[in-house]
mmCIF file of all heavy atoms in Angstrom:
data_model
loop_
_atom_site.group_PDB
_atom_site.id
_atom_site.type_symbol
_atom_site.label_atom_id
_atom_site.label_comp_id
_atom_site.label_asym_id
_atom_site.label_seq_id
_atom_site.Cartn_x
_atom_site.Cartn_y
_atom_site.Cartn_z
ATOM 1 N N ASN A 267 -9.749 -7.926 31.096
ATOM 2 C CA ASN A 267 -9.094 -8.261 32.358
ATOM 3 C C ASN A 267 -7.845 -9.041 32.019
ATOM 4 O O ASN A 267 -7.918 -10.150 31.481
ATOM 5 C CB ASN A 267 -10.040 -9.105 33.229
ATOM 6 C CG ASN A 267 -9.464 -9.384 34.600
ATOM 7 O OD1 ASN A 267 -8.264 -9.235 34.838
ATOM 8 N ND2 ASN A 267 -10.307 -9.797 35.519
ATOM 9 N N GLN A 268 -6.699 -8.477 32.346
ATOM 10 C CA GLN A 268 -5.439 -9.122 32.000
ATOM 11 C C GLN A 268 -5.184 -10.385 32.813
ATOM 12 O O GLN A 268 -4.290 -11.155 32.489
ATOM 13 C CB GLN A 268 -4.286 -8.139 32.187
ATOM 14 C CG GLN A 268 -4.296 -7.008 31.174
ATOM 15 C CD GLN A 268 -3.069 -6.138 31.257
ATOM 16 O OE1 GLN A 268 -2.570 -5.853 32.337
ATOM 17 N NE2 GLN A 268 -2.579 -5.688 30.118
ATOM 18 N N GLY A 269 -5.962 -10.614 33.854
ATOM 19 C CA GLY A 269 -5.808 -11.825 34.647
ATOM 20 C C GLY A 269 -6.584 -13.007 34.109
ATOM 21 O O GLY A 269 -6.536 -14.090 34.693
ATOM 22 N N GLN A 270 -7.323 -12.827 33.009
ATOM 23 C CA GLN A 270 -8.114 -13.906 32.431
ATOM 24 C C GLN A 270 -7.634 -14.196 31.018
ATOM 25 O O GLN A 270 -7.195 -13.306 30.304
ATOM 26 C CB GLN A 270 -9.602 -13.539 32.420
ATOM 27 C CG GLN A 270 -10.226 -13.446 33.803
ATOM 28 C CD GLN A 270 -11.704 -13.103 33.749
ATOM 29 O OE1 GLN A 270 -12.135 -12.313 32.919
ATOM 30 N NE2 GLN A 270 -12.481 -13.707 34.637
ATOM 31 N N ASP A 271 -7.745 -15.471 30.631
ATOM 32 C CA ASP A 271 -7.358 -15.869 29.282
ATOM 33 C C ASP A 271 -8.234 -17.027 28.831
ATOM 34 O O ASP A 271 -9.229 -17.371 29.482
ATOM 35 C CB ASP A 271 -5.868 -16.236 29.223
ATOM 36 C CG ASP A 271 -5.478 -17.322 30.221
ATOM 37 O OD1 ASP A 271 -6.358 -18.133 30.600
ATOM 38 O OD2 ASP A 271 -4.315 -17.368 30.634
ATOM 39 N N LEU A 272 -7.853 -17.641 27.744
ATOM 40 C CA LEU A 272 -8.639 -18.733 27.164
ATOM 41 C C LEU A 272 -8.780 -19.913 28.117
ATOM 42 O O LEU A 272 -9.707 -20.712 27.995
ATOM 43 C CB LEU A 272 -7.984 -19.188 25.857
ATOM 44 C CG LEU A 272 -8.885 -19.786 24.780
ATOM 45 C CD1 LEU A 272 -9.900 -18.777 24.313
ATOM 46 C CD2 LEU A 272 -8.048 -20.281 23.608
ATOM 47 N N GLY A 273 -7.855 -20.020 29.064
ATOM 48 C CA GLY A 273 -7.929 -21.097 30.035
ATOM 49 C C GLY A 273 -9.158 -21.048 30.925
ATOM 50 O O GLY A 273 -9.491 -22.046 31.578
ATOM 51 N N MET A 274 -9.858 -19.899 30.965
ATOM 52 C CA MET A 274 -11.079 -19.821 31.760
ATOM 53 C C MET A 274 -12.124 -20.799 31.243
ATOM 54 O O MET A 274 -12.881 -21.393 32.016
ATOM 55 C CB MET A 274 -11.642 -18.396 31.727
ATOM 56 C CG MET A 274 -10.688 -17.315 32.198
ATOM 57 S SD MET A 274 -10.099 -17.560 33.880
ATOM 58 C CE MET A 274 -11.634 -17.481 34.780
ATOM 59 N N PHE A 275 -12.180 -20.994 29.920
ATOM 60 C CA PHE A 275 -13.122 -21.958 29.351
ATOM 61 C C PHE A 275 -12.807 -23.365 29.843
ATOM 62 O O PHE A 275 -13.714 -24.154 30.128
ATOM 63 C CB PHE A 275 -13.071 -21.905 27.827
ATOM 64 C CG PHE A 275 -13.659 -20.653 27.236
ATOM 65 C CD1 PHE A 275 -12.872 -19.533 27.021
ATOM 66 C CD2 PHE A 275 -14.989 -20.598 26.886
ATOM 67 C CE1 PHE A 275 -13.402 -18.380 26.472
ATOM 68 C CE2 PHE A 275 -15.540 -19.444 26.333
ATOM 69 C CZ PHE A 275 -14.739 -18.337 26.127
ATOM 70 N N LEU A 276 -11.517 -23.687 29.939
ATOM 71 C CA LEU A 276 -11.130 -25.005 30.443
ATOM 72 C C LEU A 276 -11.506 -25.172 31.907
ATOM 73 O O LEU A 276 -11.996 -26.230 32.327
ATOM 74 C CB LEU A 276 -9.620 -25.210 30.278
ATOM 75 C CG LEU A 276 -9.091 -25.450 28.867
ATOM 76 C CD1 LEU A 276 -7.585 -25.606 28.910
ATOM 77 C CD2 LEU A 276 -9.730 -26.679 28.260
ATOM 78 N N ALA A 277 -11.272 -24.127 32.709
ATOM 79 C CA ALA A 277 -11.578 -24.211 34.138
ATOM 80 C C ALA A 277 -13.071 -24.424 34.370
ATOM 81 O O ALA A 277 -13.474 -25.203 35.241
ATOM 82 C CB ALA A 277 -11.104 -22.944 34.851
ATOM 83 N N VAL A 278 -13.894 -23.759 33.583
ATOM 84 C CA VAL A 278 -15.340 -23.936 33.717
ATOM 85 C C VAL A 278 -15.757 -25.309 33.238
ATOM 86 O O VAL A 278 -16.585 -25.984 33.858
ATOM 87 C CB VAL A 278 -16.082 -22.828 32.939
ATOM 88 C CG1 VAL A 278 -17.576 -23.101 32.886
ATOM 89 C CG2 VAL A 278 -15.824 -21.468 33.575
ATOM 90 N N ASP A 279 -15.167 -25.761 32.141
ATOM 91 C CA ASP A 279 -15.521 -27.078 31.609
ATOM 92 C C ASP A 279 -15.161 -28.192 32.585
ATOM 93 O O ASP A 279 -15.878 -29.188 32.697
ATOM 94 C CB ASP A 279 -14.797 -27.284 30.282
ATOM 95 C CG ASP A 279 -15.101 -28.635 29.668
ATOM 96 O OD1 ASP A 279 -16.253 -28.839 29.241
ATOM 97 O OD2 ASP A 279 -14.209 -29.498 29.634
ATOM 98 N N ARG A 280 -14.073 -28.023 33.314
ATOM 99 C CA ARG A 280 -13.647 -29.044 34.269
ATOM 100 C C ARG A 280 -14.363 -28.932 35.607
ATOM 101 O O ARG A 280 -14.157 -29.751 36.493
ATOM 102 C CB ARG A 280 -12.134 -28.930 34.493
ATOM 103 C CG ARG A 280 -11.325 -29.297 33.260
ATOM 104 C CD ARG A 280 -9.865 -28.928 33.421
ATOM 105 N NE ARG A 280 -9.082 -29.286 32.247
ATOM 106 C CZ ARG A 280 -7.822 -28.911 32.034
ATOM 107 N NH1 ARG A 280 -7.223 -28.127 32.924
ATOM 108 N NH2 ARG A 280 -7.190 -29.291 30.948
ATOM 109 N N GLY A 281 -15.177 -27.912 35.761
ATOM 110 C CA GLY A 281 -15.907 -27.740 37.012
ATOM 111 C C GLY A 281 -15.108 -27.072 38.103
ATOM 112 O O GLY A 281 -15.568 -27.004 39.248
ATOM 113 N N ALA A 282 -13.910 -26.581 37.781
ATOM 114 C CA ALA A 282 -13.090 -25.929 38.807
ATOM 115 C C ALA A 282 -13.657 -24.570 39.189
ATOM 116 O O ALA A 282 -13.479 -24.106 40.315
ATOM 117 C CB ALA A 282 -11.656 -25.769 38.302
ATOM 118 N N LEU A 283 -14.341 -23.906 38.258
ATOM 119 C CA LEU A 283 -14.927 -22.602 38.508
ATOM 120 C C LEU A 283 -16.385 -22.619 38.064
ATOM 121 O O LEU A 283 -16.726 -23.239 37.054
ATOM 122 C CB LEU A 283 -14.175 -21.499 37.748
ATOM 123 C CG LEU A 283 -12.690 -21.313 38.076
ATOM 124 C CD1 LEU A 283 -12.087 -20.267 37.150
ATOM 125 C CD2 LEU A 283 -12.480 -20.915 39.518
ATOM 126 N N ARG A 284 -17.219 -21.929 38.844
ATOM 127 C CA ARG A 284 -18.628 -21.776 38.491
ATOM 128 C C ARG A 284 -18.982 -20.299 38.498
ATOM 129 O O ARG A 284 -18.909 -19.635 39.542
ATOM 130 C CB ARG A 284 -19.519 -22.536 39.480
ATOM 131 C CG ARG A 284 -19.484 -24.036 39.343
ATOM 132 C CD ARG A 284 -20.369 -24.690 40.395
ATOM 133 N NE ARG A 284 -21.730 -24.178 40.345
ATOM 134 C CZ ARG A 284 -22.638 -24.406 41.288
ATOM 135 N NH1 ARG A 284 -22.328 -25.142 42.352
ATOM 136 N NH2 ARG A 284 -23.856 -23.916 41.169
ATOM 137 N N TYR A 285 -19.338 -19.799 37.326
ATOM 138 C CA TYR A 285 -19.699 -18.394 37.208
ATOM 139 C C TYR A 285 -21.219 -18.251 37.213
ATOM 140 O O TYR A 285 -21.945 -19.166 36.815
ATOM 141 C CB TYR A 285 -19.123 -17.809 35.915
ATOM 142 C CG TYR A 285 -17.645 -17.526 36.002
ATOM 143 C CD1 TYR A 285 -16.712 -18.501 35.658
ATOM 144 C CD2 TYR A 285 -17.178 -16.302 36.452
ATOM 145 C CE1 TYR A 285 -15.353 -18.252 35.746
ATOM 146 C CE2 TYR A 285 -15.824 -16.045 36.541
ATOM 147 C CZ TYR A 285 -14.913 -17.019 36.189
ATOM 148 O OH TYR A 285 -13.575 -16.770 36.285
ATOM 149 N N PRO A 286 -21.701 -17.108 37.663
ATOM 150 C CA PRO A 286 -23.152 -16.904 37.695
ATOM 151 C C PRO A 286 -23.744 -16.831 36.294
ATOM 152 O O PRO A 286 -23.035 -16.610 35.305
ATOM 153 C CB PRO A 286 -23.311 -15.573 38.441
ATOM 154 C CG PRO A 286 -22.000 -14.885 38.281
ATOM 155 C CD PRO A 286 -20.963 -15.963 38.220
ATOM 156 N N THR A 287 -25.043 -17.022 36.215
ATOM 157 C CA THR A 287 -25.764 -16.961 34.953
ATOM 158 C C THR A 287 -26.310 -15.550 34.746
ATOM 159 O O THR A 287 -26.958 -14.995 35.637
ATOM 160 C CB THR A 287 -26.924 -17.972 34.941
ATOM 161 O OG1 THR A 287 -26.399 -19.287 35.165
ATOM 162 C CG2 THR A 287 -27.666 -17.935 33.615
ATOM 163 N N TYR A 288 -26.051 -14.981 33.591
ATOM 164 C CA TYR A 288 -26.548 -13.649 33.265
ATOM 165 C C TYR A 288 -26.554 -13.495 31.756
ATOM 166 O O TYR A 288 -26.045 -14.356 31.020
ATOM 167 C CB TYR A 288 -25.688 -12.558 33.912
ATOM 168 C CG TYR A 288 -24.202 -12.743 33.735
ATOM 169 C CD1 TYR A 288 -23.584 -12.459 32.523
ATOM 170 C CD2 TYR A 288 -23.409 -13.204 34.782
ATOM 171 C CE1 TYR A 288 -22.231 -12.627 32.354
ATOM 172 C CE2 TYR A 288 -22.051 -13.384 34.623
ATOM 173 C CZ TYR A 288 -21.461 -13.089 33.409
ATOM 174 O OH TYR A 288 -20.115 -13.262 33.236
ATOM 175 N N CYS A 289 -27.116 -12.425 31.301
ATOM 176 C CA CYS A 289 -27.216 -12.137 29.873
ATOM 177 C C CYS A 289 -26.046 -11.256 29.451
ATOM 178 O O CYS A 289 -25.863 -10.164 29.986
ATOM 179 C CB CYS A 289 -28.543 -11.453 29.564
ATOM 180 S SG CYS A 289 -28.772 -11.075 27.818
ATOM 181 N N VAL A 290 -25.243 -11.744 28.517
ATOM 182 C CA VAL A 290 -24.105 -10.985 28.001
ATOM 183 C C VAL A 290 -24.589 -10.077 26.881
ATOM 184 O O VAL A 290 -25.163 -10.546 25.891
ATOM 185 C CB VAL A 290 -23.002 -11.926 27.493
ATOM 186 C CG1 VAL A 290 -21.883 -11.132 26.833
ATOM 187 C CG2 VAL A 290 -22.454 -12.768 28.633
ATOM 188 N N THR A 291 -24.396 -8.785 27.052
ATOM 189 C CA THR A 291 -24.798 -7.810 26.034
ATOM 190 C C THR A 291 -23.657 -6.837 25.783
ATOM 191 O O THR A 291 -23.005 -6.375 26.710
ATOM 192 C CB THR A 291 -26.048 -7.019 26.486
ATOM 193 O OG1 THR A 291 -25.760 -6.357 27.721
ATOM 194 C CG2 THR A 291 -27.236 -7.933 26.655
ATOM 195 N N ARG A 292 -23.445 -6.527 24.521
ATOM 196 C CA ARG A 292 -22.432 -5.546 24.127
ATOM 197 C C ARG A 292 -23.085 -4.523 23.207
ATOM 198 O O ARG A 292 -23.209 -4.743 22.003
ATOM 199 C CB ARG A 292 -21.264 -6.228 23.415
ATOM 200 C CG ARG A 292 -20.460 -7.163 24.311
ATOM 201 C CD ARG A 292 -19.201 -7.608 23.614
ATOM 202 N NE ARG A 292 -18.367 -8.406 24.490
ATOM 203 C CZ ARG A 292 -17.083 -8.674 24.255
ATOM 204 N NH1 ARG A 292 -16.511 -8.181 23.169
ATOM 205 N NH2 ARG A 292 -16.383 -9.407 25.085
ATOM 206 N N ALA A 293 -23.519 -3.437 23.780
ATOM 207 C CA ALA A 293 -24.186 -2.412 23.005
ATOM 208 C C ALA A 293 -23.207 -1.472 22.325
ATOM 209 O O ALA A 293 -23.548 -0.818 21.341
ATOM 210 C CB ALA A 293 -25.138 -1.607 23.895
ATOM 211 N N ARG A 294 -21.987 -1.392 22.820
ATOM 212 C CA ARG A 294 -20.997 -0.477 22.256
ATOM 213 C C ARG A 294 -19.606 -1.023 22.516
ATOM 214 O O ARG A 294 -19.390 -1.875 23.371
ATOM 215 C CB ARG A 294 -21.132 0.916 22.853
ATOM 216 C CG ARG A 294 -20.783 0.982 24.326
ATOM 217 C CD ARG A 294 -20.795 2.413 24.828
ATOM 218 N NE ARG A 294 -22.148 2.917 24.899
ATOM 219 C CZ ARG A 294 -22.467 4.170 24.586
ATOM 220 N NH1 ARG A 294 -21.564 5.003 24.164
ATOM 221 N NH2 ARG A 294 -23.714 4.583 24.702
ATOM 222 N N ALA A 295 -18.653 -0.514 21.762
ATOM 223 C CA ALA A 295 -17.256 -0.894 21.952
ATOM 224 C C ALA A 295 -16.671 -0.117 23.127
ATOM 225 O O ALA A 295 -17.020 1.041 23.362
ATOM 226 C CB ALA A 295 -16.453 -0.623 20.688
ATOM 227 N N VAL A 296 -15.786 -0.776 23.868
ATOM 228 C CA VAL A 296 -15.132 -0.112 24.996
ATOM 229 C C VAL A 296 -14.128 0.913 24.494
ATOM 230 O O VAL A 296 -14.032 2.018 25.029
ATOM 231 C CB VAL A 296 -14.453 -1.153 25.902
ATOM 232 C CG1 VAL A 296 -13.677 -0.461 27.019
ATOM 233 C CG2 VAL A 296 -15.478 -2.094 26.493
ATOM 234 N N PHE A 297 -13.387 0.545 23.465
ATOM 235 C CA PHE A 297 -12.354 1.431 22.918
ATOM 236 C C PHE A 297 -12.834 1.960 21.578
ATOM 237 O O PHE A 297 -13.149 1.189 20.667
ATOM 238 C CB PHE A 297 -11.035 0.677 22.756
ATOM 239 C CG PHE A 297 -10.530 0.053 24.029
ATOM 240 C CD1 PHE A 297 -10.740 -1.295 24.291
ATOM 241 C CD2 PHE A 297 -9.880 0.813 24.983
ATOM 242 C CE1 PHE A 297 -10.293 -1.875 25.459
ATOM 243 C CE2 PHE A 297 -9.432 0.247 26.164
ATOM 244 C CZ PHE A 297 -9.642 -1.098 26.402
#
Side-chain angles (χ1 to χ4, degrees):
N267 185 343
Q268 291 187 321
Q270 292 181 322
D271 56 26
L272 208 62
M274 303 302 298
F275 289 89
L276 287 179
V278 172
D279 180 69
R280 293 169 180 170
L283 300 175
R284 287 178 55 192
Y285 283 89
T287 302
Y288 47 76
C289 181
V290 174
T291 58
R292 294 190 175 196
R294 67 174 71 218
V296 176
F297 303 99

